[in-house]
Amino acid sequence: MKMSVRAAFLATTVFVLAGCKVSSEIGKPCTLVRKAATPQEEAEYPTGAVPVLESEVADRQDFISFGSVECEDLICVRDQEYPRARTEEGEVNLTAPARGYCSKPCIDGASTSACEVKDTTDVEPNLPKRMTCRSLLLDQETLEALRSADENFYRNTFGENNSPFFCAGRLGTSQGG
């Protein structure tokens, strides 16, 4: 029995795809960034972005950063319970770049698998069981009002994001800080 070229191609494609692992960077550690580096700053910041420092993030504060090249969706989040950088003495290292984890926009009420951490390598240990889809920005009405009032300001602040919902750690389930 001869197999047509088309059938052979389809069979090969199915076998190749069956072996592919679906990956996601949700939960992967990343650095919070505040802006793109200027040409004068590029030597100091080789990733092309200026990091947010620990001194710029209040203790137990949600923080979202757009433009993190470490993340496939360019979104780095730090929730209130994510651990802060520490010195050897155990104090918060205020001069260290603030770290968080890769996130993505999500739809409120989405299944828990929408924000599942698929690769736990180097992921903060408590994060995978805390991940959920929740509001991190202003409410939907306020976002829409800001966009209507000043489109350029909105885009410079929030990019193309139209929703306050992102994959982030559920609060009240661990001790960070």
Side-chain angles (χ1 to χ4, degrees), residues 13-47:
T13 302
V14 168
F15 289 123
V16 169
L17 290 177
C20 289
K21 180 181 170 189
V22 175
S23 67
S24 169
E25 290 188 339
I26 294 175
K28 173 186 157 192
C30 56
T31 302
L32 300 171
V33 297
R34 82 172 91 182
K35 67 173 189 155
T38 64
Q40 297 81 10
E41 295 171 320
E42 284 179 0
E44 186 176 355
Y45 304 109
T47 63

Side-chain angles (χ1 to χ4, degrees), residues 99-167:
R99 302 282 288 166
Y101 49 88
C102 295
S103 181
K104 70 176 186 177
C106 57
I107 298 170
D108 187 27
S111 71
T112 55
S113 65
C115 292
E116 180 182 0
V117 176
K118 296 184 191 275
D119 182 358
T120 57
T121 309
D122 298 326
V123 170
E124 193 272 322
N126 293 319
L127 186 62
K129 64 184 174 208
R130 294 190 307 113
M131 289 302 283
T132 190
C133 180
R134 69 180 181 91
S135 177
L136 281 178
L137 296 175
L138 309 167
D139 60 63
Q140 189 70 51
E141 294 78 27
T142 304
L143 281 175
E144 290 170 9
L146 286 171
R147 183 180 211 121
S148 296
D150 187 341
E151 183 82 21
N152 286 333
F153 170 79
Y154 183 91
R155 287 184 188 276
N156 288 336
T157 305
F158 303 109
E160 295 301 317
N161 180 63
N162 294 313
S163 170
F165 295 97
F166 293 87
C167 293

